Amino acid sequence: MNRARLGLPFARPCIRRRISALANGRPSYLEILGDRYPTDSITNLTPAILAKVPLRLHTRPSHPLNTLRGLIESHYSDFTHLSSLSPLVSPYKNFDELSFPQDHPGRAVTDSYYVNKDLMLRTHTSAHEVEVFRRGEDKWLLTADVYRRDEIDGSHYPIFHQMEGARIFAADATGMREVAEDNARLRHRLAQAPIVIEDVPHLAPTNPPQATHDPAYAALVAENLKLSLNSLMLTLFGGQAGVGGGAPLRVRWIEAYFPFTSPSFEVEVFFRGKWLEILGSGVVRQATLDTANVPNKIGWAFGLGLERIAMILYSIPDIRLFWSTDERFISQFTDKEITTFQPYSKYPSCFKDVSFWTAQGLDLHENDFCDVVRDVAGDLVEDVKKIDSFVHPKTNRTSLCYRINYRSMDRSLSNEEANDIQAQVVSRLEEQFGVEIR
Ligand code: PHE
């Protein structure tokens, strides 16, 4: 937990002055998607993030994320498709409605973006489960931008896109007949397809069915979840152009844990010698369905990351490229077509190190460091690594050293420009966190 944001007292007066200057510098409100929201002591949304909220890449014609959404929507053509829900949600909706414990790390200001204590940017599309089930939808897909504070590298970006899919059935003999018929249909499709599946039991003792579920119903639903997603993997990655490249597609199921599903699973796909995590899923917790006012239903949900899949299908090497406005990127793509990305150039990178003592009594979380860099450098930062960390035995102060890799995706970055950005990063660290450069 970052103490600066919680306004806790510090030992050294000069630091206290700096921190309160920061609080005074905080705007009294933020304008997001046309509305104004008051800030408070936990506000941690940066201008760099705010600027990207309206962009909604998953709805831009010919953008790879939009094409991928379309492909998944056509696979689930008889589902309701939603893609315009606001990213602003209450922490209650993002966490509590989904049975997240009070002390779950995802709630921390170091991990999530807060407008104020009552409003945040959703961290996952599951935040809308209760709302959509409550509308009476029983098979639906929802695509949205989601936000998480994280490290900086080629596969992490603080904004990414997820697709949530869910299907619920009447928890009675009629509903289960429907599941069994669908299972038979899907099993038939998969039996003839070039796909090799490594599975785990639907209901393992370590990944139990819910106490309120009839075990036979839970098993049928878990089987439907797996068959349905195996079939989606085949649509996405199967065939000649897919990751199988002639060899059968390999998919594996792994036991997982999510507070809002049980049993829970992750799906991985084998690609270029590595297993890549594609999605999380499970049998929806009955508490979610009870809250949504559909207590007599039973069903499954999954959530997948669109960037991860698009990077594989399009051979896009860096997650920042999805945000590029460079013609050489955008003009490569046609609506509804998956093509291989042609890299136009890889410009040289510029490494800059910064070493400093943190202020006494103030933990500088890596995500706070990264947000400062992101806010100053925008998409010119490719990668940030902590290369050294130690505590001084006498003063008990922490020394940190980070290596920042600056590289533009569109042009050559001069050393002077990188130095200039680095100098701004350094002064922001001094002002905002009271660090002492070594
Ligand atoms: N919301 C989960 C995540 O972001 C994924 C998930 C969705 C898991 C639905 C289970 C069911 O990691």
Side-chain angles (χ1 to χ4, degrees):
M1 197 71 70
N2 182 318
R3 298 195 197 187
R5 294 227 164 73
L6 297 173
L8 297 179
F10 295 95
R12 296 191 315 160
C14 62
I15 310 271
R16 204 178 308 145
R17 220 171 29 245
R18 283 200 187 106
I19 303 293
S20 63
L22 170 69
N24 292 339
R26 185 182 66 225
S28 55
Y29 66 87
L30 295 178
E31 187 162 330
I32 310 170
L33 299 172
D35 285 309
R36 288 182 173 190
Y37 301 92
T39 59
D40 64 18
S41 62
I42 70 162
T43 306
N44 62 357
L45 253 164
T46 61
I49 301 299
L50 278 173
K52 293 204 154 81
V53 173
L55 299 185
R56 301 173 38 77
L57 299 182
H58 59 288
T59 61
R60 302 209 148 185
S62 84
H63 194 283
L65 297 177
N66 185 49
T67 295
L68 183 54
R69 167 172 73 97
L71 181 60
I72 298 172
E73 286 180 348
S74 359
H75 180 86
Y76 285 112
S77 59
D78 56 342
F79 280 43
T80 299
H81 304 155
L82 305 160
S83 56
S84 55
L85 278 81
S86 167
L88 292 170
V89 297
S90 61
Y92 184 81
K93 197 164 157 158
N94 197 80
F95 298 118
D96 301 70
E97 269 185 359
L98 293 164
S99 316
F100 277 74
Q102 275 311 319
D103 60 354
H104 192 276
R107 294 180 187 258
V109 288
T110 48
D111 285 41
S112 298
Y113 288 106
Y114 286 85
V115 177
N116 56 44
K117 67 175 185 2
D118 301 317
L119 198 65
M120 65 186 301
L121 290 173
R122 68 185 152 222
T123 64
H124 57 169
T125 41
S126 305
H128 299 287
E129 277 194 9
V130 166
E131 162 185 11
V132 179
F133 285 135
R134 191 179 280 141
R135 287 189 197 178
E137 299 292 353
D138 52 17
K139 32 186 176 174
W140 52 270
L141 281 180
L142 184 153
T143 315
D145 38 333
V146 301
Y147 299 75
R148 291 185 200 172
R149 302 189 69 202
D150 215 331
E151 60 213 76
I152 299 181
D153 65 29
S155 58
H156 289 89
Y157 201 83
I159 315 175
F160 59 104
H161 296 78
Q162 280 191 332
M163 221 159 164
E164 190 92 358
R167 181 160 188 192
I168 52 175
F169 304 87
D172 58 24
T174 315
M176 292 308 107
R177 206 170 312 119
E178 194 189 334
V179 183
E181 278 164 19
D182 197 49
N183 287 354
R185 177 185 67 83
L186 289 164
R187 228 180 279 116
H188 182 72
R189 174 181 185 215
L190 287 160
Q192 298 161 359
I195 182 169
V196 177
I197 300 155
E198 287 176 30
D199 210 346
V200 290
H202 302 319
L203 307 175
T206 45
N207 200 11
Q210 296 165 48
T212 55
H213 285 166
D214 178 323
Y217 289 10
L220 274 171
V221 166
E223 190 184 1
N224 190 250
L225 162 72
K226 290 184 177 176
L227 289 165
S228 177
L229 288 173
N230 285 333
S231 165
L232 175 67
M233 293 305 110
L234 200 56
T235 297
L236 290 176
F237 301 115
Q240 282 304 89
V243 297
L249 170 68
R250 291 174 67 193
V251 171
R252 82 175 174 195
W253 285 78
I254 295 176
E255 278 186 22
Y257 174 80
F258 301 102
F260 44 95
T261 49
S262 190
S264 305
F265 310 98
E266 269 163 12
V267 173
E268 295 185 340
V269 162
F270 196 70
F271 178 62
R272 295 213 177 124
K274 272 198 286 202
W275 287 101
L276 295 180
E277 191 191 317
I278 300 292
L279 59 83
S281 66
V283 176
V284 178
R285 255 200 202 286
Q286 212 53 38
T288 309
L289 297 175
D290 293 348
T291 311
N293 227 356
V294 286
N296 300 322
K297 301 272 175 136
I298 178 170
W300 50 255
F302 68 84
L304 55 79
L306 287 181
E307 275 83 350
R308 177 75 63 91
I309 299 174
M311 285 172 86
I312 301 172
L313 295 179
Y314 286 84
S315 300
I316 292 177
D318 187 316
I319 196 165
R320 290 176 297 166
L321 281 162
F322 291 106
W323 299 90
S324 174
T325 51
D326 192 303
E327 273 302 309
R328 287 169 297 178
F329 179 78
I330 307 172
S331 66
Q332 286 196 22
F333 306 106
T334 323
D335 212 13
K336 301 193 172 67
E337 234 181 88
I338 293 183
T339 46
T340 302
F341 170 64
Q342 305 296 328
Y344 30 92
S345 180
K346 184 135 175 155
Y347 295 92
S349 58
C350 241
F351 289 94
K352 303 281 168 198
D353 290 354
V354 55
S355 312
F356 52 85
W357 294 108
T358 61
Q360 215 141 34
L362 172 63
D363 295 331
L364 178 63
H365 194 284
E366 183 150 349
N367 291 348
D368 286 326
F369 182 88
C370 286
D371 258 331
V372 167
V373 181
R374 185 82 74 185
D375 212 33
V376 173
D379 289 346
L380 293 177
V381 54
E382 178 170 284
D383 194 277
V384 170
K385 271 196 195 74
K386 192 195 280 175
I387 55 174
D388 191 37
S389 154
F390 71 90
V391 178
H392 192 286
K394 291 220 178 83
T395 63
N396 222 19
R397 290 172 76 191
T398 304
S399 163
L400 294 173
C401 181
Y402 282 97
R403 177 158 295 166
I404 307 174
N405 176 14
Y406 298 104
R407 188 207 305 266
S408 166
M409 293 174 293
D410 319 320
R411 62 191 172 83
S412 255
L413 189 66
S414 71
N415 194 40
E416 291 81 65
E417 201 179 341
N419 279 338
D420 196 47
I421 299 170
Q422 181 75 353
Q424 289 178 52
V425 168
V426 166
S427 56
R428 279 278 295 271
L429 289 170
E430 289 175 323
E431 271 164 40
Q432 206 166 324
F433 297 103
V435 311
E436 193 181 307
I437 302 297
R438 310 188 53 199

